[in-house]
Amino acid sequence: MGKYEKLAREIVKNVGGKQNISGLSHCVTRLRFVLKDEKIANDDVLKNMDGVVTVMKSGGQYQVVIGNHVPMVYADVCEIAGINGGNELGEPEKKMSFTDKVIDLISGCFQSVLAVMCAAGMVKGFNALFVFLKLYPNTSGTYLVFNAIGDSIFYFLPILIGYASAKKFKLNPMLGMLIGCILCYPTVQASAIGGDAIGTFFGIEYKTTFLGMPLIANNYTTTVIPVIFVNAVASKVQKICNKFVPEVIKTFFVPFLTLIVSLSLAFLIIGPVTSVLTNVLTSGFMMVNDFSPLLMGALVGFLWQVLVIFGLHWALVPLFLMCLTTMGYNPIQGSYGVGFAQTGVVAAMYFKLKDEKIKKICPAAVISGLCGVTEPSIYGISLPKKLPFVFSMVGGAIGGAIMGGLGAKGYTSGGMGIFGVVNYINPENSDPAGMYIAILTIVVSLAAGFILTYLFWNDKEPVNDETKSSESRKVAEGEMLKKEDICSPVKGKVKLLEAIADDAFAQGALGKGCAIEPSEGKVYAPFDGEVTSLFPTKHAIGLLSESGCEMLIHIGLDTVQLQGKFFEKHVEQGDKIKKGQLLISFDKEQIEKEGYCLDTPVIITNTDDYLDIVEIGEGEVAQGDLILKALR
């Protein structure tokens, strides 16, 4: 237990005890509780408790404002309340687009397995190298063991991702792993179901049925999207079951119902949808290849990684195999340069990354990529940054165009990565022309990915425990939390900024703070300081406190259009001011008669200089009442 054990116990007690806590996270300065019943919490006791700044209720959260040492308080609260600290959410969830959420989810599921993926990729690569150097044949036991060491993590990847995604979706992690196991089960793979077809579904043959509906088998071991999707559904099913299944049988029946429902939907929806899309893509790529091999190579090189992520690369694998069996070679080689473009991107990112944790992964990911395994590079490094991933697609397209345009043919599919160049040697006459094209593709693709990333991408500061705020440094240095009390400059009713009808203020574009609906037409100085700006229209004034707080008081919305009418200033720009001094007066009734809203934003414009801006005031306030706390 940490140094804040006593404070943590009092907080847990006064939020209604651990039985009243259904969720807990923390941000820069606040403990963010999700309580089963907020009415049970002792607001007044918490607000007056030593070590607590105040209490706020917002967005369904019961927020206890602590200060810059909140991570240590959070740890003690978790231990006392029996909460798994691994479920910490940190900063409140930011608004993200659908694409950003998908990328964040996919890449986030890989963070914990990146290192071992890199290691496994290197084992696979060196195993292929040793076979190429004829140190042992690919039929030997040595090859078999090394191949198992290198390949198993990729074959059973849905199991690992099942665990990670289950934690994200708040699904029982063991259920998440089991769902991954079921998707890897041999008899559900496309190649494992024998017998004659008994019917077709959208032109796709099927050999058996499930619950009276066609069972379209797919190889779920080669993609991560299905297990993530199924776990998302399973988490919803689990939540519903927990509400309705009696407590006495929950232990067994909730997992039972969750598995039955989610996996039934998986096999009846994911399989058919994936197969239909695969068939459509197959037909499309065949048309493009007939029109132009160069265009086909570029298209395959550009889209290959995206197809792999969603498991749709199987649209091309049958084409590859069909060409090998009927023609003796495969002329569709657009995907060969993709891995090297991705590797070039990661090599360039190494020199540009600011997040040391990710940077340390890059060298191993580069080696793994050269050996033909790019999953660590994609999921853990380039995809989360988005633009580098796009550059890898462009580099892949360039490599694919070279392979298609110069007519490279693959005669086998044994080697991986740089060892795959031997696949392009014609076995009938040992003609190495195809190998030279492959080497050229490697060099150009790698260079394209590296140059594009190095010249046109810059990393942002990493958002992690050390950089998202100065809290860790301040605690380590023994600094005390600094607070600045901000008093109301106006008499009236306090509102949340997001509640006012002005997007710039409501979205916090100008800074954090609050708004006041004034009940009289006077604006007073909220602190001792200086007038830094006074608009000619007198509807807004900028102030600087003696401690460095920069404030904007904006009287009404769109009142600039009054051109100073109904406003009177009592100070000038550059004047020194004292707390409580009259700054501006205005005719409230006349302004309202003109049709203007008098909601008055009170904004701290240098918000980035503070750990947090906490709204204290509620309801009606008098001039001089405390409305904000600025925490350093």
Side-chain angles (χ1 to χ4, degrees):
M1 193 72 69
K3 62 184 286 188
Y4 295 100
E5 177 184 356
K6 183 178 179 181
L7 174 61
R9 290 191 183 280
E10 288 299 310
I11 290 173
V12 172
K13 174 183 175 183
N14 285 284
V15 296
K18 61 183 180 181
Q19 67 277 2
N20 193 39
I21 302 172
S22 60
L24 173 62
S25 61
H26 77 80
C27 60
V28 178
T29 61
R30 313 178 190 193
L31 293 172
R32 296 174 176 267
F33 290 93
V34 178
L35 301 180
K36 296 176 182 177
D37 185 357
E38 289 187 358
K39 296 178 181 177
I40 298 177
N42 297 315
D43 298 1
D44 293 335
V45 174
L46 285 164
K47 286 179 181 178
N48 294 308
M49 191 181 296
D50 288 340
V52 173
V53 177
T54 190
V55 168
M56 296 180 60
K57 302 174 185 178
S58 177
Q61 295 181 335
Y62 189 90
Q63 303 174 11
V64 181
V65 183
I66 300 295
N68 56 350
H69 54 287
V70 69
M72 293 187 283
V73 179
Y74 169 83
D76 285 349
V77 169
C78 284
E79 188 168 347
I80 290 167
I83 297 171
N84 179 4
N87 292 330
E88 175 191 350
L89 299 178
E91 287 282 352
E93 184 177 349
K94 297 179 180 178
K95 293 182 179 179
M96 294 189 291
S97 67
F98 175 77
T99 303
D100 288 341
K101 287 181 179 179
V102 170
I103 291 174
D104 177 70
L105 179 61
I106 295 174
S107 59
C109 289
F110 278 82
Q111 292 300 318
S112 57
V113 297
L114 280 179
V116 290
M117 283 181 69
C118 289
M122 291 167 65
V123 171
K124 287 186 69 173
F126 283 113
N127 199 30
L129 172 64
F130 296 151
V131 170
F132 173 68
L133 295 175
K134 302 187 183 303
L135 296 182
Y136 47 78
N138 59 7
T139 55
S140 69
T142 303
Y143 173 85
L144 176 67
V145 171
F146 282 140
N147 190 62
I149 294 172
D151 204 41
S152 292
I153 189 172
F154 301 102
Y155 187 87
F156 296 108
L157 193 56
I159 300 174
L160 303 181
I161 302 306
Y163 177 81
S165 60
K167 292 182 69 176
K168 277 187 168 289
F169 292 124
K170 298 183 180 179
L171 173 70
N172 181 336
M174 294 299 107
L175 269 181
M177 290 182 68
L178 181 55
I179 287 170
C181 291
I182 293 166
L183 292 179
C184 291
Y185 194 64
T187 56
V188 303
Q189 306 305 319
S191 60
I193 298 180
D196 298 327
I198 62 174
T200 60
F201 179 82
F202 283 92
I204 303 166
E205 292 185 346
Y206 61 91
K207 301 172 184 179
T208 187
T209 60
F210 173 57
L211 299 177
M213 299 180 68
L215 178 62
I216 309 295
N218 282 277
N219 190 344
Y220 298 110
T221 62
T222 58
T223 179
V224 298
I225 296 298
V227 69
I228 293 175
F229 177 82
V230 177
N231 278 353
V233 173
S235 68
K236 301 298 182 184
V237 176
Q238 177 183 264
K239 187 175 181 179
I240 294 171
C241 291
N242 275 323
K243 289 182 179 179
F244 296 104
V245 174
E247 195 72 36
V248 68
I249 58 173
K250 268 186 180 179
T251 303
F252 308 108
F253 271 86
V254 169
F256 169 77
L257 293 172
T258 300
L259 286 171
I260 293 296
V261 174
S262 60
L263 285 160
S264 295
L265 292 173
F267 290 126
L268 292 176
I269 295 176
I270 289 180
V273 169
T274 304
S275 295
V276 168
L277 289 175
T278 298
N279 275 10
V280 171
L281 287 171
T282 301
S283 300
F285 280 118
M286 282 294 290
M287 291 175 60
V288 174
N289 191 60
D290 292 340
F291 174 74
S292 169
L294 185 149
L295 180 59
M296 174 66 171
L299 188 61
V300 172
F302 185 75
L303 295 178
W304 182 257
Q305 295 175 105
V306 178
L307 295 177
V308 169
I309 289 173
F310 289 94
L312 298 176
H313 60 302
W314 286 101
L316 294 174
V317 171
L319 284 179
F320 297 165
L321 296 177
M322 181 177 66
C323 290
L324 282 174
T325 55
T326 60
M327 302 165 60
Y329 60 85
N330 173 23
I332 306 172
Q333 297 297 325
S335 63
Y336 186 63
V338 171
F340 301 105
Q342 180 68 239
T343 301
V345 164
V346 172
M349 290 179 73
Y350 175 80
F351 297 101
K352 310 272 285 193
L353 279 165
K354 296 178 181 177
D355 190 325
E356 291 298 325
K357 291 182 180 179
I358 300 178
K359 191 170 184 175
K360 289 178 181 177
I361 301 172
C362 288
V366 168
I367 296 173
S368 178
L370 291 173
C371 294
V373 179
T374 56
E375 283 88 347
S377 299
I378 296 172
Y379 296 116
I381 303 173
S382 69
L383 183 61
K385 300 295 185 178
K386 289 188 283 192
L387 186 57
F389 182 75
V390 173
F391 289 153
S392 74
M393 295 171 68
V394 174
I398 295 172
I402 293 173
M403 295 292 281
L406 296 181
K409 297 178 178 64
Y411 296 93
T412 181
S413 58
M416 295 177 58
I418 56 176
F419 316 121
V421 295
V422 296
N423 297 341
Y424 301 94
I425 299 175
N426 190 330
E428 292 186 2
N429 54 17
S430 299
D431 182 2
M435 183 179 69
Y436 297 146
I437 296 173
I439 293 172
L440 176 64
T441 299
I442 291 174
V443 174
V444 174
S445 299
L446 197 150
F450 185 94
I451 292 170
L452 285 171
T453 306
Y454 193 82
L455 294 181
F456 301 109
W457 178 74
N458 287 301
D459 195 17
K460 297 178 180 178
E461 284 294 334
V463 181
N464 54 44
D465 290 339
E466 295 180 358
T467 60
K468 66 185 175 183
S469 74
S470 59
E471 60 189 58
S472 299
R473 293 189 299 274
K474 289 192 174 185
V475 171
E477 294 166 4
E479 293 184 20
M480 298 298 291
L481 177 68
K482 296 178 182 178
K483 298 179 288 186
E484 182 166 0
D485 292 341
I486 308 297
C487 298
S488 177
V490 179
K491 179 182 179 181
K493 183 179 180 180
V494 175
K495 291 184 173 183
L496 295 175
L497 268 184
E498 52 263 37
I500 67 175
D502 184 292
D503 288 343
F505 287 117
Q507 295 176 11
L510 302 177
K512 293 183 179 180
C514 63
I516 301 173
E517 181 183 341
S519 56
E520 67 175 16
K522 294 180 180 180
V523 177
Y524 298 89
F527 43 60
D528 294 345
E530 179 184 347
V531 178
T532 55
S533 61
L534 181 59
F535 287 69
T537 52
K538 297 170 285 189
H539 76 292
I541 186 170
L543 307 174
L544 175 65
S545 76
E546 292 180 345
S547 62
C549 178
E550 299 173 9
M551 175 176 287
L552 171 66
I553 303 171
H554 192 285
I555 305 166
L557 306 179
D558 297 323
T559 48
V560 64
Q561 298 178 31
L562 290 171
Q563 295 296 312
K565 187 179 178 182
F566 308 127
F567 291 91
E568 182 180 356
K569 62 181 180 179
H570 301 279
V571 291
E572 298 289 344
Q573 184 169 320
D575 285 357
K576 297 294 184 181
I577 56 173
K578 291 291 184 181
K579 181 179 177 181
Q581 179 180 342
L582 181 62
L583 304 177
I584 297 174
S585 56
F586 55 94
D587 192 325
K588 177 177 177 293
E589 289 72 22
Q590 289 298 324
I591 294 174
E592 289 175 335
K593 282 182 181 180
E594 292 283 336
Y596 291 92
C597 173
L598 273 173
D599 286 348
T600 299
V602 179
I603 305 294
I604 295 177
T605 56
N606 60 331
T607 296
D608 291 343
D609 293 342
Y610 294 89
L611 284 172
D612 205 357
I613 307 296
V614 183
E615 303 91 344
I616 301 295
E618 296 179 2
E620 296 291 337
V621 293
Q623 179 272 319
D625 285 352
L626 184 64
I627 57 169
L628 299 170
K629 282 184 180 288
L631 311 179
R632 290 185 188 269

